[in-house]
mmCIF file of all heavy atoms in Angstrom:
data_model
loop_
_atom_site.group_PDB
_atom_site.id
_atom_site.type_symbol
_atom_site.label_atom_id
_atom_site.label_comp_id
_atom_site.label_asym_id
_atom_site.label_seq_id
_atom_site.Cartn_x
_atom_site.Cartn_y
_atom_site.Cartn_z
ATOM 1 N N SER A 1160 43.606 162.414 48.700
ATOM 2 C CA SER A 1160 44.166 161.197 48.061
ATOM 3 C C SER A 1160 44.201 160.100 49.049
ATOM 4 O O SER A 1160 44.545 160.222 50.236
ATOM 5 C CB SER A 1160 45.603 161.558 47.617
ATOM 6 O OG SER A 1160 46.340 160.425 47.259
ATOM 7 N N ARG A 1161 43.878 158.938 48.564
ATOM 8 C CA ARG A 1161 43.927 157.667 49.372
ATOM 9 C C ARG A 1161 45.375 157.359 49.825
ATOM 10 O O ARG A 1161 45.542 156.704 50.853
ATOM 11 C CB ARG A 1161 43.376 156.541 48.671
ATOM 12 C CG ARG A 1161 44.303 155.952 47.487
ATOM 13 C CD ARG A 1161 43.859 154.628 46.943
ATOM 14 N NE ARG A 1161 44.814 154.167 45.992
ATOM 15 C CZ ARG A 1161 44.562 153.717 44.790
ATOM 16 N NH1 ARG A 1161 43.236 153.695 44.437
ATOM 17 N NH2 ARG A 1161 45.539 153.314 44.003
ATOM 18 N N GLU A 1162 46.406 157.997 49.221
ATOM 19 C CA GLU A 1162 47.749 157.748 49.551
ATOM 20 C C GLU A 1162 48.151 158.464 50.881
ATOM 21 O O GLU A 1162 49.119 158.152 51.524
ATOM 22 C CB GLU A 1162 48.707 158.215 48.471
ATOM 23 C CG GLU A 1162 48.499 157.432 47.204
ATOM 24 C CD GLU A 1162 48.790 155.878 47.313
ATOM 25 O OE1 GLU A 1162 49.821 155.589 47.761
ATOM 26 O OE2 GLU A 1162 47.889 155.125 46.920
ATOM 27 N N LEU A 1163 47.462 159.483 51.184
ATOM 28 C CA LEU A 1163 47.735 160.365 52.369
ATOM 29 C C LEU A 1163 47.274 159.598 53.667
ATOM 30 O O LEU A 1163 46.139 159.208 53.752
ATOM 31 C CB LEU A 1163 47.113 161.752 52.331
ATOM 32 C CG LEU A 1163 47.586 162.664 51.211
ATOM 33 C CD1 LEU A 1163 46.725 163.955 51.241
ATOM 34 C CD2 LEU A 1163 49.077 162.921 51.378
ATOM 35 N N ARG A 1164 48.227 159.373 54.516
ATOM 36 C CA ARG A 1164 47.880 158.697 55.752
ATOM 37 C C ARG A 1164 47.456 159.723 56.800
ATOM 38 O O ARG A 1164 48.255 160.474 57.353
ATOM 39 C CB ARG A 1164 49.121 157.905 56.260
ATOM 40 C CG ARG A 1164 49.638 156.956 55.308
ATOM 41 C CD ARG A 1164 48.662 155.774 55.143
ATOM 42 N NE ARG A 1164 49.125 154.868 54.034
ATOM 43 C CZ ARG A 1164 48.335 154.492 53.088
ATOM 44 N NH1 ARG A 1164 47.045 154.938 53.003
ATOM 45 N NH2 ARG A 1164 48.833 153.678 52.173
ATOM 46 N N ARG A 1165 46.162 159.742 56.999
ATOM 47 C CA ARG A 1165 45.608 160.705 57.943
ATOM 48 C C ARG A 1165 44.205 160.199 58.314
ATOM 49 O O ARG A 1165 43.568 159.484 57.529
ATOM 50 C CB ARG A 1165 45.632 162.120 57.513
ATOM 51 C CG ARG A 1165 44.688 162.324 56.272
ATOM 52 C CD ARG A 1165 44.778 163.773 55.867
ATOM 53 N NE ARG A 1165 43.867 164.098 54.828
ATOM 54 C CZ ARG A 1165 42.552 164.291 54.946
ATOM 55 N NH1 ARG A 1165 41.901 164.185 56.086
ATOM 56 N NH2 ARG A 1165 41.859 164.611 53.873
ATOM 57 N N PRO A 1166 43.646 160.690 59.416
ATOM 58 C CA PRO A 1166 42.278 160.303 59.656
ATOM 59 C C PRO A 1166 41.335 160.788 58.608
ATOM 60 O O PRO A 1166 41.526 161.923 58.102
ATOM 61 C CB PRO A 1166 42.006 161.057 61.010
ATOM 62 C CG PRO A 1166 43.299 161.505 61.599
ATOM 63 C CD PRO A 1166 44.190 161.560 60.375
ATOM 64 N N ARG A 1167 40.269 160.078 58.327
ATOM 65 C CA ARG A 1167 39.297 160.398 57.338
ATOM 66 C C ARG A 1167 37.860 160.564 58.099
ATOM 67 O O ARG A 1167 37.468 159.715 58.803
ATOM 68 C CB ARG A 1167 39.119 159.397 56.248
ATOM 69 C CG ARG A 1167 40.358 159.058 55.570
ATOM 70 C CD ARG A 1167 40.920 160.220 54.644
ATOM 71 N NE ARG A 1167 42.194 159.978 54.171
ATOM 72 C CZ ARG A 1167 42.487 160.215 52.853
ATOM 73 N NH1 ARG A 1167 41.618 160.782 52.083
ATOM 74 N NH2 ARG A 1167 43.655 159.887 52.420
ATOM 75 N N GLN A 1168 37.265 161.729 57.833
ATOM 76 C CA GLN A 1168 36.041 161.887 58.513
ATOM 77 C C GLN A 1168 34.883 161.878 57.494
ATOM 78 O O GLN A 1168 35.028 162.216 56.306
ATOM 79 C CB GLN A 1168 36.003 163.310 59.142
ATOM 80 C CG GLN A 1168 37.014 163.348 60.325
ATOM 81 C CD GLN A 1168 36.923 164.766 61.096
ATOM 82 O OE1 GLN A 1168 35.954 165.460 61.041
ATOM 83 N NE2 GLN A 1168 37.935 165.097 61.720
ATOM 84 N N SER A 1169 33.740 161.368 57.978
ATOM 85 C CA SER A 1169 32.514 161.412 57.142
ATOM 86 C C SER A 1169 31.505 161.997 58.090
ATOM 87 O O SER A 1169 31.434 161.675 59.279
ATOM 88 C CB SER A 1169 32.147 160.116 56.657
ATOM 89 O OG SER A 1169 33.076 159.664 55.672
ATOM 90 N N VAL A 1170 30.561 162.792 57.585
ATOM 91 C CA VAL A 1170 29.494 163.313 58.408
ATOM 92 C C VAL A 1170 28.420 162.171 58.647
ATOM 93 O O VAL A 1170 28.186 161.371 57.783
ATOM 94 C CB VAL A 1170 28.844 164.483 57.719
ATOM 95 C CG1 VAL A 1170 28.074 164.223 56.523
ATOM 96 C CG2 VAL A 1170 27.876 165.335 58.696
ATOM 97 N N GLY A 1171 27.820 162.180 59.805
ATOM 98 C CA GLY A 1171 26.745 161.232 60.151
ATOM 99 C C GLY A 1171 25.471 161.623 59.494
ATOM 100 O O GLY A 1171 25.118 162.819 59.337
ATOM 101 N N PRO A 1172 24.710 160.650 58.965
ATOM 102 C CA PRO A 1172 23.492 160.865 58.219
ATOM 103 C C PRO A 1172 22.445 161.631 59.084
ATOM 104 O O PRO A 1172 21.726 162.416 58.586
ATOM 105 C CB PRO A 1172 23.029 159.518 57.854
ATOM 106 C CG PRO A 1172 23.704 158.525 58.688
ATOM 107 C CD PRO A 1172 25.000 159.128 59.019
ATOM 108 N N GLU A 1173 22.464 161.421 60.373
ATOM 109 C CA GLU A 1173 21.528 162.085 61.271
ATOM 110 C C GLU A 1173 21.679 163.671 61.240
ATOM 111 O O GLU A 1173 20.790 164.435 61.279
ATOM 112 C CB GLU A 1173 21.492 161.526 62.708
ATOM 113 C CG GLU A 1173 22.813 161.699 63.442
ATOM 114 C CD GLU A 1173 24.030 160.894 63.040
ATOM 115 O OE1 GLU A 1173 23.828 159.792 62.370
ATOM 116 O OE2 GLU A 1173 25.214 161.170 63.340
ATOM 117 N N ARG A 1174 22.987 164.008 61.226
ATOM 118 C CA ARG A 1174 23.252 165.491 61.101
ATOM 119 C C ARG A 1174 22.863 166.049 59.773
ATOM 120 O O ARG A 1174 22.325 167.184 59.692
ATOM 121 C CB ARG A 1174 24.791 165.767 61.376
ATOM 122 C CG ARG A 1174 25.189 165.467 62.759
ATOM 123 C CD ARG A 1174 26.637 165.801 62.996
ATOM 124 N NE ARG A 1174 26.797 167.286 62.923
ATOM 125 C CZ ARG A 1174 27.928 167.889 62.823
ATOM 126 N NH1 ARG A 1174 29.079 167.205 62.761
ATOM 127 N NH2 ARG A 1174 28.045 169.224 62.781
ATOM 128 N N VAL A 1175 23.119 165.258 58.656
ATOM 129 C CA VAL A 1175 22.689 165.767 57.393
ATOM 130 C C VAL A 1175 21.106 165.916 57.233
ATOM 131 O O VAL A 1175 20.617 166.882 56.815
ATOM 132 C CB VAL A 1175 23.234 164.815 56.320
ATOM 133 C CG1 VAL A 1175 22.744 165.254 54.889
ATOM 134 C CG2 VAL A 1175 24.773 164.709 56.444
ATOM 135 N N LEU A 1176 20.500 164.930 57.796
ATOM 136 C CA LEU A 1176 18.968 164.912 57.715
ATOM 137 C C LEU A 1176 18.424 166.021 58.588
ATOM 138 O O LEU A 1176 17.414 166.677 58.217
ATOM 139 C CB LEU A 1176 18.459 163.547 58.168
ATOM 140 C CG LEU A 1176 18.700 162.402 57.206
ATOM 141 C CD1 LEU A 1176 18.253 161.067 57.831
ATOM 142 C CD2 LEU A 1176 18.012 162.624 55.802
ATOM 143 N N ALA A 1177 19.057 166.270 59.780
ATOM 144 C CA ALA A 1177 18.573 167.403 60.596
ATOM 145 C C ALA A 1177 18.691 168.774 59.779
ATOM 146 O O ALA A 1177 17.780 169.591 59.892
ATOM 147 C CB ALA A 1177 19.306 167.433 61.885
ATOM 148 N N PHE A 1178 19.822 168.938 59.131
ATOM 149 C CA PHE A 1178 19.998 170.182 58.393
ATOM 150 C C PHE A 1178 19.068 170.156 57.149
ATOM 151 O O PHE A 1178 18.593 171.206 56.746
ATOM 152 C CB PHE A 1178 21.447 170.358 58.000
ATOM 153 C CG PHE A 1178 21.729 171.637 57.342
ATOM 154 C CD1 PHE A 1178 21.569 172.895 58.059
ATOM 155 C CD2 PHE A 1178 22.156 171.761 56.046
ATOM 156 C CE1 PHE A 1178 21.768 174.084 57.502
ATOM 157 C CE2 PHE A 1178 22.347 173.063 55.429
ATOM 158 C CZ PHE A 1178 22.185 174.123 56.173
ATOM 159 N N GLY A 1179 18.789 168.968 56.620
ATOM 160 C CA GLY A 1179 17.860 168.977 55.466
ATOM 161 C C GLY A 1179 16.474 169.453 55.921
ATOM 162 O O GLY A 1179 15.826 170.138 55.160
ATOM 163 N N LYS A 1180 16.046 169.137 57.118
ATOM 164 C CA LYS A 1180 14.800 169.650 57.587
ATOM 165 C C LYS A 1180 14.774 171.147 57.717
ATOM 166 O O LYS A 1180 13.841 171.784 57.394
ATOM 167 C CB LYS A 1180 14.443 168.997 58.958
ATOM 168 C CG LYS A 1180 14.105 167.572 58.853
ATOM 169 C CD LYS A 1180 13.779 166.969 60.275
ATOM 170 C CE LYS A 1180 13.570 165.456 60.147
ATOM 171 N NZ LYS A 1180 13.404 164.857 61.462
ATOM 172 N N VAL A 1181 15.938 171.712 58.125
ATOM 173 C CA VAL A 1181 16.004 173.120 58.215
ATOM 174 C C VAL A 1181 15.976 173.802 56.846
ATOM 175 O O VAL A 1181 15.285 174.800 56.647
ATOM 176 C CB VAL A 1181 17.353 173.562 58.866
ATOM 177 C CG1 VAL A 1181 17.664 175.008 58.755
ATOM 178 C CG2 VAL A 1181 17.434 173.106 60.352
ATOM 179 N N LEU A 1182 16.574 173.198 55.818
ATOM 180 C CA LEU A 1182 16.554 173.624 54.476
ATOM 181 C C LEU A 1182 15.152 173.514 53.911
ATOM 182 O O LEU A 1182 14.659 174.382 53.198
ATOM 183 C CB LEU A 1182 17.509 172.889 53.526
ATOM 184 C CG LEU A 1182 18.935 173.142 53.828
ATOM 185 C CD1 LEU A 1182 19.855 172.173 52.997
ATOM 186 C CD2 LEU A 1182 19.346 174.582 53.562
ATOM 187 N N LYS A 1183 14.439 172.506 54.251
ATOM 188 C CA LYS A 1183 12.940 172.336 53.874
ATOM 189 C C LYS A 1183 12.175 173.470 54.481
ATOM 190 O O LYS A 1183 11.352 174.156 53.746
ATOM 191 C CB LYS A 1183 12.423 170.984 54.351
ATOM 192 C CG LYS A 1183 10.930 170.838 54.110
ATOM 193 C CD LYS A 1183 10.404 169.537 54.743
ATOM 194 C CE LYS A 1183 8.915 169.522 54.466
ATOM 195 N NZ LYS A 1183 8.267 168.473 55.185
ATOM 196 N N GLU A 1184 12.376 173.808 55.707
ATOM 197 C CA GLU A 1184 11.654 174.943 56.323
ATOM 198 C C GLU A 1184 11.986 176.216 55.672
ATOM 199 O O GLU A 1184 11.146 177.084 55.384
ATOM 200 C CB GLU A 1184 11.948 175.012 57.817
ATOM 201 C CG GLU A 1184 11.386 173.806 58.597
ATOM 202 C CD GLU A 1184 11.914 173.665 60.008
ATOM 203 O OE1 GLU A 1184 12.764 174.547 60.513
ATOM 204 O OE2 GLU A 1184 11.560 172.658 60.673
ATOM 205 N N TYR A 1185 13.306 176.457 55.271
ATOM 206 C CA TYR A 1185 13.614 177.639 54.613
ATOM 207 C C TYR A 1185 12.979 177.735 53.275
ATOM 208 O O TYR A 1185 12.479 178.818 52.871
ATOM 209 C CB TYR A 1185 15.184 177.597 54.454
ATOM 210 C CG TYR A 1185 15.741 178.672 53.535
ATOM 211 C CD1 TYR A 1185 15.952 179.930 54.061
ATOM 212 C CD2 TYR A 1185 16.021 178.455 52.167
ATOM 213 C CE1 TYR A 1185 16.455 180.984 53.206
ATOM 214 C CE2 TYR A 1185 16.474 179.371 51.355
ATOM 215 C CZ TYR A 1185 16.675 180.637 51.821
ATOM 216 O OH TYR A 1185 17.162 181.658 51.000
ATOM 217 N N THR A 1186 12.932 176.642 52.496
ATOM 218 C CA THR A 1186 12.273 176.562 51.241
ATOM 219 C C THR A 1186 10.809 176.928 51.329
ATOM 220 O O THR A 1186 10.231 177.753 50.555
ATOM 221 C CB THR A 1186 12.456 175.248 50.523
ATOM 222 O OG1 THR A 1186 13.828 174.988 50.344
ATOM 223 C CG2 THR A 1186 11.699 175.217 49.262
ATOM 224 N N GLU A 1187 10.153 176.475 52.398
ATOM 225 C CA GLU A 1187 8.688 176.618 52.589
ATOM 226 C C GLU A 1187 8.455 178.111 52.944
ATOM 227 O O GLU A 1187 7.517 178.701 52.532
ATOM 228 C CB GLU A 1187 8.131 175.727 53.623
ATOM 229 C CG GLU A 1187 8.148 174.321 53.181
ATOM 230 C CD GLU A 1187 7.799 173.321 54.294
ATOM 231 O OE1 GLU A 1187 7.903 173.673 55.470
ATOM 232 O OE2 GLU A 1187 7.502 172.153 53.938
ATOM 233 N N ALA A 1188 9.387 178.687 53.759
ATOM 234 C CA ALA A 1188 9.206 180.078 54.155
ATOM 235 C C ALA A 1188 9.496 181.106 53.097
ATOM 236 O O ALA A 1188 8.850 182.154 53.114
ATOM 237 C CB ALA A 1188 10.146 180.301 55.436
ATOM 238 N N THR A 1189 10.500 180.724 52.188
ATOM 239 C CA THR A 1189 10.905 181.759 51.234
ATOM 240 C C THR A 1189 10.489 181.487 49.839
ATOM 241 O O THR A 1189 10.484 182.404 49.041
ATOM 242 C CB THR A 1189 12.431 181.820 51.195
ATOM 243 O OG1 THR A 1189 12.942 180.536 50.776
ATOM 244 C CG2 THR A 1189 13.013 182.112 52.555
ATOM 245 N N GLY A 1190 10.082 180.246 49.551
ATOM 246 C CA GLY A 1190 9.799 179.876 48.214
ATOM 247 C C GLY A 1190 10.976 179.700 47.291
ATOM 248 O O GLY A 1190 10.862 179.445 46.094
ATOM 249 N N ARG A 1191 12.175 179.768 47.854
ATOM 250 C CA ARG A 1191 13.429 179.681 47.106
ATOM 251 C C ARG A 1191 13.795 178.152 46.968
ATOM 252 O O ARG A 1191 13.828 177.441 47.935
ATOM 253 C CB ARG A 1191 14.449 180.445 47.921
ATOM 254 C CG ARG A 1191 15.783 180.584 47.099
ATOM 255 C CD ARG A 1191 16.699 181.515 47.840
ATOM 256 N NE ARG A 1191 17.944 181.743 47.128
ATOM 257 C CZ ARG A 1191 19.028 182.201 47.644
ATOM 258 N NH1 ARG A 1191 18.995 182.694 48.882
ATOM 259 N NH2 ARG A 1191 20.106 182.383 46.948
#
Side-chain angles (χ1 to χ4, degrees):
S1160 167
R1161 73 172 185 226
E1162 300 296 309
L1163 295 177
R1164 301 294 174 228
R1165 64 178 186 77
R1167 304 296 175 131
Q1168 296 183 23
S1169 295
V1170 67
E1173 63 287 342
R1174 292 184 69 194
V1175 178
L1176 292 171
F1178 188 63
K1180 289 178 186 176
V1181 171
L1182 291 173
K1183 175 186 177 188
E1184 292 167 4
Y1185 171 81
T1186 298
E1187 291 169 348
T1189 64
R1191 189 173 181 192

